[in-house]
Amino acid sequence: MSENGKTPVDFWFDPLCPWAWMTSRWMLEVEKVRDVQVSWHVMSLAVLNEDRLDELPEGYRELLENAWGPVRVVIAARELHGPEVVGDLYTALGTRFHNRGEGPSREAIVGALEDVGLPVELADYAERDTYDTELRASHKEGIDKVGQDVGTPVIAVPGADGEQIAFFGPVVTPAPKGEEAAKLWDGTLLVASIPGFYEIKRTRTAEPSFD
């Protein structure tokens, strides 16, 4: 338990991923209906895939070329302004990238920084490797909990024995709200807490719904 009596939840995201965005909006709903408190951390699709670019479809490689900028801006904001700014900045970026369809442009990043009252000069870090060591460390912390064959998001919570339970996902659209959000949370924790449980999956038949 955290100092305020709530269960701490660690959430690793790449702001470019629409599926992580859906899960993060669900996680905000879970905060309303369960006694949990989310801490937000970056992971990077660019880092995750940098050693296997030749194996990826051309369209996905093009996406990854744009993946460095947003996470670099978020990690710079964390290093310069504290971890408490990460969640709100992620919300501002995701709203512009996904809900508004602006994509990961410099204009969208600058707009998101303005939305949360952070210096727009942070957008310059999109093209800098100043905090790449910290970015890679944050990515490694999350991905080491679940293994290399998954993506974003990664969620980690304390288990009954105090050890963290970590998992990729859930992948869901649209983001459940209210009691549906609570039911998905309870069920996800239930299956994730079973020793030896690894995967439930079915083919996605819908694109992310940002409504």
Side-chain angles (χ1 to χ4, degrees):
M1 291 290 180
S2 61
E3 292 181 359
N4 61 9
K6 295 186 176 184
T7 300
V9 177
D10 291 294
F11 189 109
W12 281 265
F13 66 91
D14 185 315
L16 201 62
C17 178
W19 293 104
W21 175 245
M22 299 303 304
T23 308
S24 72
R25 300 310 91 182
W26 163 70
M27 200 68 244
L28 292 181
E29 284 291 315
V30 175
E31 279 193 313
K32 300 175 184 177
V33 294
R34 291 291 183 265
D35 287 331
V36 303
Q37 184 170 22
V38 182
S39 295
W40 303 94
H41 314 273
V42 291
M43 61 183 296
S44 170
L45 292 172
V47 172
L48 182 67
N49 292 286
E50 62 184 349
D51 292 330
R52 62 186 197 97
L53 289 176
D54 292 343
E55 306 168 17
L56 301 174
E58 182 178 353
Y60 195 65
R61 290 199 304 270
E62 291 176 359
L63 180 144
L64 293 178
E65 290 177 4
N66 296 317
W68 283 102
V71 288
R72 280 174 165 169
V73 171
V74 176
I75 202 72
R78 189 196 76 176
E79 293 302 308
L80 296 172
H81 298 276
E84 64 274 7
V85 306
V86 172
D88 287 344
L89 180 55
Y90 178 31
T91 290
L93 288 168
T95 299
R96 286 180 174 272
F97 290 0
H98 306 299
N99 294 59
R100 299 185 188 177
E102 296 178 18
S105 64
R106 179 178 174 85
E107 292 76 16
I109 292 172
V110 167
L113 291 167
E114 291 176 332
D115 291 341
V116 296
L118 287 170
V120 296
E121 291 79 13
L122 286 169
D124 295 338
Y125 285 94
E127 305 297 330
R128 299 175 183 171
D129 62 2
T130 309
Y131 296 109
D132 277 12
T133 298
E134 290 80 1
L135 169 59
R136 289 178 180 276
S138 180
H139 173 87
K140 185 177 187 300
E141 182 184 10
I143 207 70
D144 279 355
K145 296 179 184 298
V146 290
Q148 295 289 329
D149 59 342
V150 300
T152 177
V154 170
I155 297 175
V157 298
D161 59 0
E163 294 294 320
Q164 276 193 323
I165 298 168
F167 48 89
F168 159 73
V171 177
V172 62
T173 186
K177 294 179 171 58
E179 186 56 29
E180 289 298 309
K183 287 166 59 178
L184 179 57
W185 177 249
D186 295 342
T188 300
L189 292 189
L190 177 62
V191 297
S193 67
I194 302 300
F197 175 82
Y198 294 105
E199 188 172 8
I200 289 177
K201 193 170 185 179
R202 57 187 172 190
T203 300
R204 285 179 240 167
T205 59
E207 294 299 314
S209 173
F210 307 125
D211 296 336

